[in-house]
Amino acid sequence: MHSFQLAKGLVLPAAAGVLWLAGCAGGPSSDKPSLRLVDEFRAESVANSPTTAAPAPAVSWEFAAAGEASTAPAPNDPMLGWKAGTGVSGLKIVEGRLTGRTTTDFPIIHAAVPQNIDTNDDFYSVDVRIRSSAAGEVAVIRSNSDELNFERIIEQNTSAPPQLSAKIPGGTAFQTLAMTSSRPSTMAGKQLLIRPVNAKDATFEIEFVRVVSQKENRARVPSGIGWQGLGSIYRESIVSRSPETFTIEANIPANARLDVNLGTTDSKPLTFKVTAGTGDNAQTILERTITTPHRWEPVEVDLAPFAGQRSLTFSLAVDEERRVGFWGTPAIRTRAAALPPSGTAASALGSVERPRHVIYLMCDTLRRDHLGLYGYNRDTAPHLRQLAEQGTVFLDNISQATWTKASTPSLMTSLYPASTQVHGVPDRLSPAATTIAEVFRDAGYTTVSFASNGFVGRLTNLHQGFEELHESTSLNDSTYRSKTAREYVDRAIEWIERRRDTPFFMYLHVFDPHHQYEPRAPYAAAFNDPALREEHEKERETSRKFTHQEMRGRGLPNPKELKEAGLDADKWVTYERNSYDGSILGMDAEVGRLIERLRQLGIERDTLLVFFSDHGEGFGEHGSMWHGFTGYGEMSGVPMMFYRPGVIPAGLKIAETVRNLDLMPTVLDLSGLPIPDGVQGQSLVPLMAAARQAAQGQSQNSVAEIAAGLGWTPQPAVTEKSDDPQGENPKGLLSYAIIDGGWKLVHNVKSPDNRAEYELYHHQQDPLDLTNVLDQHADVAENLKAKLGEWHKMVEAGQLPEGESTEGISEKELDRLKSLGYVQ
């Protein structure tokens, strides 16, 4: 794998741009089970391209050509229909630019959207070319209302940040921002609103605004590699347009199949065709007509009769020009292929069979002290308890952030949020990062992601390394939006059944403990009396006017606000906590079903399953419900468990403090794959081996002492709480919590509620951080302050380029990153 130089001297493997290329060397080999055709595609192989031009966006305001915009403004309207809504003064067109000054930190300008657009087409993006005198964020809001209530709009988009937003640096340079949403919607809409920048007393200038549909976007994207979505299921794809053909050169090996998903956005029938060979020797190996748009149709073709052929030609068999077809995740896969580069992996556990399959199973918003296997007084997860008895559990695992947007990139890259620079809603993981999915993809594993939250998909660039991504918006259950385990386990089982003979890496993200806590039947009655639900919901409405704006829309008052509303806070919080526990029970049943199916398929012993969470949840322990507000124990203490019969030591419970940061290097170690340079976590396999030795009486030393001899080094665990205003807590708290040597120091750098600058807790005795002992142990605090200072230097040295910086990336690699959506 090639590498390139990053900021601060860090060197990491190239992300997504330089992948395994074996086709011209003879197709999939015994150590590479899949030949991905997106990697073999060559632009020069495209022939017979369309001669007609792609259409321009139908909804466009071009201020340099006032009076000629396609929005067809009213005659003599110099503003092209744009008006100042609130927080803006002096809105006018100057030298072909819409200009104005903000008077608040949530200014709004707006215009009516023309009604002659195709409302059946799907929305893709709003593109704005803009500059601002102040740095901040641009936001776009689409509204279907005739009358605009700006006070309500501001309230809604403060409690839940706008879906369409992007950062903008202050200065003289114009920026072209393409703002896409992770939520599917049609082009229907009556009003378009823009917040030019979230800063008061700033000037702004806009050159153009364009609303782009999916059809228009695909018409302007060049043929070739692209990240394409149908029904919110996205795939690495090859895009072709009639009458184009493209040819891929690859030796077809014996015992192989063509695995492809076909799709289109066109309601007319579209025929996909593949031929093997050239000239008079060409043979049709696939001909399939698609009549239903906006969905993928999986197709498998037995290639055994065509073994030895070197040319595959792909085409759309239609007469019209510019009909678009998607060849999703096309690959030649060898059945029962060996694992790369051999069948065993050497680690501190000894030489073990590499896992053919890896499932990275994250349960969102799951605090570990609500699981029976961690000592909870309810058996909320009996299937996980059984897995723990057959696997290895880490008793003191710490998350690096306490909300999904910031936490998950660390799980995927083994870098702290301070190094990934993903803190707020608009932030995207740099394409310079190397994700765990990329490492598996480069090794020949098929990669798939099931995302229950928009933060773990394209919105954060976390499709990087996956061939296939199921966005949360692809889920069908609108009644129980947060209870995703049932549907995603259904999909995961179906997916596995089709690929059980192919090595794969699966990221399975289930959401069930997340608010709304109320579970579906029968779990709603597991710990709550259903007869109390109506009364509880009435009290929720009663409390809303007392609830802070950030939580008002979610209906989550804190204990203090409940008391102000005249309600029994303990009773109310207990009901919410009971619902949370019921949701865990429902999630656990689905995990049990997944394990059962692995066993029935005969692949359980070939599968490494890792179970963990991105963060916990507060139930008033420090005055708040929800998560993301702080780094206290209820939000940072999360489960971690490894399971693979015959390989992962059974029944071990390891007490040493570890980090979510350590998951990626541990899984790669167990899989015999290279751990990227620059990761900030470490493999926990030495700890497993040490715990096994201690349990078997092979050493009188402690687990930590044995593990140190095997290469493990105790490391501080840090949880970050950014003050990013687009985060889960826009109040402005900036804090860091460091755990080391059994103690926890909290440094509140910036606190809106006058917290002490430093807090100290005895972590082992007080995991929820309820008793501050700073006054009694000043020497311990000083030691931890020094270690926190060393940590700050380490994460600063390891920072990735901010956002979508393409520093050091070649032009060829950059083209690929753009085509796959890693760079906008």
Side-chain angles (χ1 to χ4, degrees):
M1 180 183 286
H2 295 287
S3 63
F4 49 87
Q5 192 73 28
L6 305 182
K8 311 295 184 181
L10 178 65
V11 177
L12 291 177
V18 184
L19 304 168
W20 167 62
L21 301 176
C24 295
S29 62
S30 60
D31 64 347
K32 296 291 187 180
S34 297
L35 175 65
R36 297 179 181 85
L37 302 188
V38 293
D39 296 341
E40 300 304 293
F41 176 83
R42 300 291 181 266
E44 55 269 24
S45 76
V46 177
N48 304 320
S49 293
T51 57
T52 56
V59 181
S60 176
W61 291 266
E62 311 286 339
F63 298 107
E68 300 177 6
S70 59
T71 50
N76 304 317
D77 179 3
M79 301 295 293
L80 304 185
W82 284 88
K83 301 175 182 178
T86 184
V88 174
S89 66
L91 189 68
K92 58 185 177 180
I93 292 180
V94 178
E95 297 181 353
R97 297 162 185 166
L98 184 63
T99 67
R101 177 178 293 275
T102 67
T103 59
T104 69
D105 61 1
F106 208 122
I108 295 175
I109 61 175
H110 64 99
V113 175
Q115 297 304 299
N116 60 344
I117 58 176
D118 182 3
T119 57
N120 293 318
D121 196 2
D122 288 332
F123 166 79
Y124 177 72
S125 72
V126 175
D127 299 350
V128 181
R129 183 162 177 79
I130 185 173
R131 70 179 175 189
S132 166
S133 64
E137 286 161 2
V138 178
V140 172
I141 302 163
R142 301 171 66 222
S143 172
N144 206 32
S145 299
D146 290 311
E147 300 296 328
L148 297 176
N149 183 332
F150 296 114
E151 182 178 347
R152 178 63 175 156
I153 289 169
I154 293 172
E155 178 182 314
Q156 290 175 334
N157 289 277
T158 302
S159 60
Q163 283 290 309
L164 300 172
S165 60
K167 288 189 174 182
I168 183 171
T172 59
F174 275 90
Q175 308 287 318
T176 300
L177 307 176
M179 288 168 275
T180 60
S181 174
S182 62
R183 297 176 182 173
S185 61
T186 69
M187 286 290 287
K190 297 180 178 179
Q191 303 268 0
L192 187 71
L193 298 84
I194 297 179
R195 182 188 66 191
V197 65
N198 57 339
K200 184 179 179 180
D201 198 30
T203 59
F204 62 88
E205 299 174 65
I206 300 174
E207 287 191 349
F208 63 72
V209 178
R210 299 167 184 162
V211 183
V212 183
S213 72
Q214 287 282 9
K215 186 178 294 185
E216 291 164 346
N217 173 64
R218 283 161 177 152
R220 68 185 185 179
V221 173
S223 301
I225 300 170
W227 187 248
Q228 300 298 331
L230 298 173
S232 289
I233 299 174
Y234 289 79
R235 300 179 187 276
E236 285 185 333
S237 303
I238 299 176
V239 181
S240 64
R241 294 175 176 79
S242 58
E244 287 175 340
T245 66
F246 64 91
T247 301
I248 291 179
E249 300 293 330
N251 272 355
I252 298 176
N255 195 30
R257 70 179 186 273
L258 174 65
D259 184 0
V260 64
N261 294 266
L262 307 176
T264 182
T265 57
D266 202 326
S267 57
K268 298 178 182 179
L270 186 62
T271 300
F272 293 74
K273 187 176 181 179
V274 182
T275 59
T278 58
D280 295 338
N281 296 320
Q283 304 174 69
T284 299
I285 65 173
L286 168 64
E287 193 164 14
R288 181 68 60 90
T289 298
I290 304 297
T291 60
T292 303
H294 302 292
R295 75 174 186 188
W296 294 104
E297 184 166 320
V299 177
E300 289 187 3
V301 179
D302 183 8
L303 295 179
F306 310 101
Q309 294 280 4
R310 288 193 58 84
S311 293
L312 295 177
T313 300
F314 299 74
S315 63
L316 301 176
V318 293
D319 295 331
E320 300 171 68
E321 282 203 350
R322 285 201 169 272
R323 298 283 301 281
V324 179
F326 308 133
W327 307 83
T329 56
I332 297 173
R333 306 196 192 277
T334 304
R335 292 182 175 84
L339 289 167
S342 65
T344 61
S347 71
L349 290 174
S351 294
V352 298
E353 288 293 317
R354 295 172 182 269
R356 289 184 59 79
H357 316 300
V358 177
I359 300 177
Y360 214 49
L361 176 50
M362 185 174 99
C363 181
D364 205 297
T365 322
L366 180 60
R367 50 190 285 178
R368 65 169 180 253
D369 62 354
H370 274 242
L371 297 175
L373 63 100
Y374 283 90
Y376 194 41
N377 58 10
R378 287 174 172 167
D379 195 9
T380 54
H383 293 97
L384 288 178
R385 175 174 45 78
Q386 292 172 14
L387 285 184
E389 293 167 356
Q390 302 166 47
T392 294
V393 175
F394 288 86
L395 297 177
D396 190 29
N397 179 40
I398 305 300
S399 64
Q400 277 52 78
T402 57
W403 72 302
T404 304
K405 178 75 181 190
S407 180
T408 309
S410 292
L411 289 158
M412 293 297 188
T413 64
S414 190
L415 297 172
Y416 275 100
S419 291
T420 66
Q421 301 202 70
V422 177
H423 300 292
V425 171
D427 296 341
R428 289 167 59 90
L429 182 67
S430 167
T434 298
T435 67
I436 186 172
E438 287 178 287
V439 179
F440 276 101
R441 187 191 188 284
D442 290 351
Y445 285 70
T446 301
T447 56
V448 63
S449 171
F450 295 92
S452 293
N453 183 323
F455 292 150
V456 302
R458 296 173 300 122
L459 188 62
T460 312
N461 222 17
L462 289 180
H463 60 308
Q464 191 164 311
F466 288 107
E467 298 173 73
E468 178 180 340
L469 165 67
H470 294 239
E471 286 277 24
S472 60
T473 45
S474 71
L475 290 158
N476 297 313
D477 190 342
S478 59
T479 304
Y480 295 94
R481 292 184 181 274
S482 65
K483 314 308 165 193
T484 65
R486 179 177 294 178
E487 182 172 343
Y488 268 170
V489 168
D490 279 347
R491 293 195 202 182
I493 288 173
E494 181 182 4
W495 192 95
I496 291 169
E497 287 173 343
R498 291 184 57 213
R499 295 168 179 82
R500 60 187 173 187
D501 61 350
T502 301
F504 65 75
F505 172 78
M506 174 183 290
Y507 171 57
L508 179 56
H509 174 206
V510 297
F511 207 56
D512 297 45
H514 197 282
H515 186 263
Q516 302 278 346
Y517 305 126
E518 188 78 22
R520 57 165 59 89
Y523 310 107
F527 307 111
N528 264 333
D529 181 353
L532 298 177
R533 185 175 188 276
E534 184 176 352
E535 177 188 355
H536 183 77
E537 290 306 312
K538 287 180 179 178
E539 291 183 344
R540 190 190 306 276
E541 292 306 312
T542 298
S543 68
R544 282 191 192 273
K545 65 180 180 180
F546 298 92
T547 304
H548 191 277
Q549 179 175 296
E550 295 160 17
M551 292 291 108
R552 190 177 302 147
R554 298 183 176 102
L556 275 181
N558 62 40
K560 179 181 177 182
E561 291 162 346
L562 287 163
K563 291 177 181 177
E564 290 174 352
L567 301 174
D568 185 334
D570 290 339
K571 175 185 172 185
W572 200 91
V573 172
T574 296
Y575 186 97
E576 294 287 280
R577 187 186 294 113
N578 290 346
S579 293
Y580 176 80
D581 287 349
S583 293
I584 297 172
L585 188 62
M587 174 276 300
D588 178 78
E590 304 305 329
V591 173
R593 188 162 63 92
L594 174 64
I595 300 299
E596 174 187 78
R597 194 68 187 118
L598 295 176
R599 190 173 300 129
Q600 292 170 348
L601 291 171
I603 61 174
E604 182 183 22
R605 298 182 70 85
D606 291 332
T607 303
L608 171 64
L609 184 142
V610 190
F611 181 86
F612 54 94
S613 180
D614 55 344
H615 59 79
E617 187 78 331
F619 287 99
E621 290 86 352
H622 289 87
S624 65
M625 305 285 286
W626 191 250
H627 49 265
F629 290 111
T630 70
Y632 293 125
E634 67 272 18
M635 298 188 190
S636 63
V638 291
M640 180 193 286
M641 179 171 60
F642 293 81
Y643 173 76
R644 186 187 173 197
V647 175
I648 300 298
L652 294 183
K653 294 186 176 182
I654 299 175
E656 277 66 24
T657 299
V658 298
R659 307 159 297 177
N660 269 350
L661 208 67
D662 300 323
L663 278 160
M664 174 185 175
T666 304
V667 169
L668 294 178
D669 189 358
L670 289 167
S671 303
L673 296 178
I675 298 171
D677 293 337
V679 299
Q680 294 162 352
Q682 63 177 328
S683 173
L684 302 178
V685 174
L687 268 178
M688 296 184 199
R692 182 175 64 181
Q693 289 184 29
Q696 294 174 348
Q698 298 177 20
S699 174
Q700 298 302 310
N701 293 329
S702 69
V703 169
E705 290 170 336
I706 301 170
L710 296 173
W712 178 77
T713 304
Q715 296 288 341
V718 176
T719 301
E720 304 177 42
K721 177 65 202 82
S722 167
D723 65 340
D724 191 287
Q726 292 297 314
E728 286 291 329
N729 175 19
K731 288 182 179 179
L733 174 67
L734 173 62
S735 70
Y736 301 92
I738 183 170
I739 298 171
D740 189 64
W743 294 90
K744 178 173 183 176
L745 179 76
V746 178
H747 183 199
N748 296 311
V749 180
K750 183 172 149 187
S751 173
D753 47 7
N754 299 317
R755 300 180 192 185
E757 183 179 1
Y758 288 99
E759 305 167 52
L760 182 70
Y761 300 95
H762 199 299
H763 178 64
Q764 293 177 331
Q765 300 174 9
D766 183 15
L768 295 184
D769 311 323
L770 299 176
T771 305
N772 185 357
V773 295
L774 180 68
D775 292 343
Q776 298 96 303
H777 300 280
D779 56 334
V780 173
E782 289 303 315
N783 180 50
L784 289 176
K785 287 178 188 178
K787 291 192 174 183
L788 187 58
E790 294 171 1
W791 174 86
H792 279 292
K793 292 179 182 178
M794 184 271 292
V795 293
E796 182 180 354
Q799 277 186 352
L800 297 172
E802 185 173 0
E804 296 180 4
S805 169
T806 55
E807 177 183 342
I809 300 177
S810 72
E811 185 175 348
K812 182 177 180 181
E813 290 169 341
L814 182 58
D815 287 343
R816 178 180 174 80
L817 294 174
K818 286 181 177 178
S819 70
L820 293 177
Y822 305 150
V823 178
Q824 294 296 312

